[in-house]
Amino acid sequence: MKLSIIMPNLLTWDGTRPVVGGLERMAWALIQAARTAGFTVDVHQNGNSDWVKTIDGIAIHGHGLARLSLLAAMESIHHQTTRCLYLSIMQEPIAYRPYSLVVSHGVWWDAPGLDVRTQLESSRMALEQAQEVISVDYNFLNVIRAVYPSLAHKITVIPNFVNVNEFKPPVSPRLGPPVILFPRRLDPARGINLFLDAVQTLVDVHPDARFIMSVDQNNGPYNAHFESEIAALAFRDRVEVITTPFEKMSELYRLADIVVIPSSYSEGTSLSCLEAMASGCAVVATNVGGLTNLILSEYNGLLVAPRVDAISQAINRLIWDRELRNQLSQHAYESALSFRQERWQRAWTEALERVYGFPSGVGR
Amino acid sequence: MKTRIAILTSNHFEPSGIRQVYGGAERYGVELTRLLLDMDYDVEWWQVGDNWRKEIIPGVPIRGIPETETPYQTMPHLNQVFFEQAVDADAAIYFVMYLAYPTVFPKSISVSHGIYWDHSGMDKFLPNGQDRNEWLRRLQMAISGVSSVVSVDTATINWVRATWPILAQKFSYVPNFVDLDAFYPKKRHDIDSTSTRVRVVFPRRATTVRGINEAGKAALWLTESNPDIEVHFVGRAHDDAMERTMTAWAASHDRIFYYWLPPHLMAELYRYADIVWIPTKSSEGTSLSCLEAMASGCAVVTTTVGGLADLVQDEYSGIVIDPTARALVDATNRLVNGPELRLRIGNHAREVAETFSLDRWRSTWARIIEEVL
């Protein structure tokens, strides 16, 4: 049985390079899960011309109409597919296939200046038309329940996953001066400035601490802007900025004592947060979106308001209090195990079979 | 002279002033009063009532204001009279978020006890789009006016962030508390290892939003299919008639019980229980019942509603399900057939509950009060 995964861009719009991000990582994990369950999978995405690329036996279709209109590209996708899985509710296809599945990666309109009403409407359209919406966190579900109570039953929560064989605590305890890591993409939602402002208050108090930012290189202009911004900082020499290939990330987490996830909006069950937890780091996260589903404050991390003073106090407390740090990291590691990838895959396989039937032909 | 703090609530006592409603919010009110007295403030309360005057705890007055109207789910008249009567106070605490509409003290804090508008029943009170918008406008005004909002859960903060993003910065997350000395797990030597009996407890009010219907159905299926399971429904209903119905229903089914207990016996009940159901369908903050069950080392089965997600992580400190009878049965069977899972979840639940101490609640609240004053 063929299943088409629809998403913005698994590859760049010209089809030449993979795009690196949480959504794309989830897509590859989901492709694997669907294939294991017996589905034949292809991917449809936006392109700047019509193209087909095959990676690992998976046909990836670029739809060139996206250059003119994203909506038209979606129609082109609909013309070529039957069973659809909409991997991002933010794509707003407007018309959804019945008996389809839509994925919400968390509330995305919770930033000043966004049109709340329009975004809620687009969530409502997805909920009304699709068979089921899978949400990566409870927060999206709770917001929908508070706005459209009668639609909440269409949402199933499957939190994001972590590969606990790859992301695991260091064999021997971390020694040396404390390492504070910010492992996020350069996206305003991810709180780069909150982190830098917090670091500014800490550099003089903790002359031996290491502050590391591991950021992506997805977006040239954005990177250039960031470079010029940090070049002007008085404490520039205290912040190490690096780019780490995904396969080296687990090592980086094992080096870090404290990981900061200072998202200010649009956050689900963050993969970075889960990976830091599985690696036994002490996590400081904001109380935004799905982060509250991962961190129970004072138990397996510290949950704070997305404000500089709150984040800086939390980091400061963890630098001073090694005992607290150890206790939080132990519990973070233990609780991350319930987000292991095998569980995620089982829940997703059940969802696929519920909505699309059994690939062998039994069911719908 | 001492700094004076005036607190406005809707109903700490029933408006008649006779019976005390002793739920989670009322316990919260008493603890908050104690904290303010310990911080050396003068405290005075107001609520809906026929001009009576009583004491909320010895020495702390609470006065009734005879304003009962609730246009658009707010109480502007009550708010106005409070503002006039408490005018010489230095700061105000609005014990329910909407009570801060329309007029607020310059220095003020309001409290959110969780989202309560997340069920279709709200349409009875706000039957059309205009009414709903007017209610939202008033709620927005209530939040904008106060200096700070204390929320018992992150669900409310994130709903506000998804509704009026800028207002979210007024909020502080101060989860509810549990008395860790009163609520503790049963001692190992108290566990009768020869018994195969598994006790399930539903420690909530017998109401629709708390999932009584689903729990009732699940209890029937479970007790019929497994002679080792008994289910206890422990909590008052809305009225005498419903309580009689529940009692008759329980009486006609083996191993199903219905009764209620005074607060001081609840700790004993949790130690008697193996599995605790919190199958809430809507209107939930960081549930005290859930925290108490967790502190008692019970394996809790909860839903995703509101603040429950701040307490329970699926398969770690509890089992998280959709609020259906089928899901309750499946989760309960897993726990009944998996004593190790039950034990592991119960141990983690106790560990997690230990971070919800009254001391921590008091120090966080104290910091917020000091910031506002």
Side-chain angles (χ1 to χ4, degrees), chain B residues 299-300 315-319 335 341-349:
Chain B
V300 293
E315 307 244 327
Y316 184 75
S317 47
I319 304 269
L335 291 169
L341 176 68
R342 217 157 74 208
L343 190 67
R344 181 166 60 83
I345 283 180
N347 288 344
H348 285 155

Side-chain angles (χ1 to χ4, degrees), chain A residues 107 109-114 116-117 120 138-139 141-143 145-150 155-157 264-265 277 287-290 292-300 303 305-307 309 313 327 330-331 334-336 338-340 343, chain B residues 115 117-122 132-133 135 154-155 157-159 161-166 169 171-173 281-283 303-307 309-317 320 322-323 334 347-348 351-353 355-356 360 367 371:
Chain A
V107 168
W109 60 85
D110 51 343
L114 292 186
V116 169
R117 199 170 293 240
L120 279 170
Y138 297 124
N139 181 49
L141 168 57
N142 277 322
V143 167
R145 193 186 281 115
V147 182
Y148 308 116
S150 55
I155 300 172
T156 303
V157 176
S264 53
Y265 60 94
M277 290 167 71
N287 59 20
V288 173
T292 64
N293 301 157
L294 306 180
I295 300 295
L296 300 167
S297 199
E298 310 276 335
Y299 179 72
N300 60 358
L303 203 58
R307 289 197 324 258
D309 61 330
Q313 275 167 27
Q327 183 205 321
Q330 177 63 26
H331 288 155
E334 287 168 13
S335 51
S338 56
F339 296 92
R340 64 194 179 276
R343 262 195 90 195
Chain B
I115 291 172
W117 50 89
D118 54 344
H119 55 98
S120 312
M122 268 304 272
R132 196 182 159 88
N133 284 341
W135 162 70
T154 61
I157 302 177
N158 277 315
W159 176 81
R161 193 174 275 129
T163 308
W164 307 294
I166 292 170
Q169 62 201 7
F171 282 69
S172 301
Y173 167 48
K281 295 173 75 177
S282 60
S283 308
T303 61
T304 64
V305 176
D310 291 326
L311 308 179
V312 178
Q313 290 186 331
D314 189 28
E315 307 244 327
Y316 184 75
S317 47
V320 179
D322 286 332
R334 276 186 65 199
N347 288 344
H348 285 155
E351 282 178 11
V352 171
T355 65
F356 292 83
R360 192 181 144 205
R367 206 196 58 230
E371 273 169 20

Side-chain angles (χ1 to χ4, degrees), chain A residues 114-127:
Chain A
L114 292 186
D115 183 349
V116 169
R117 199 170 293 240
T118 309
Q119 307 308 321
L120 279 170
E121 273 294 288
S122 98
S123 300
R124 186 179 60 79
M125 280 192 281
L127 287 159

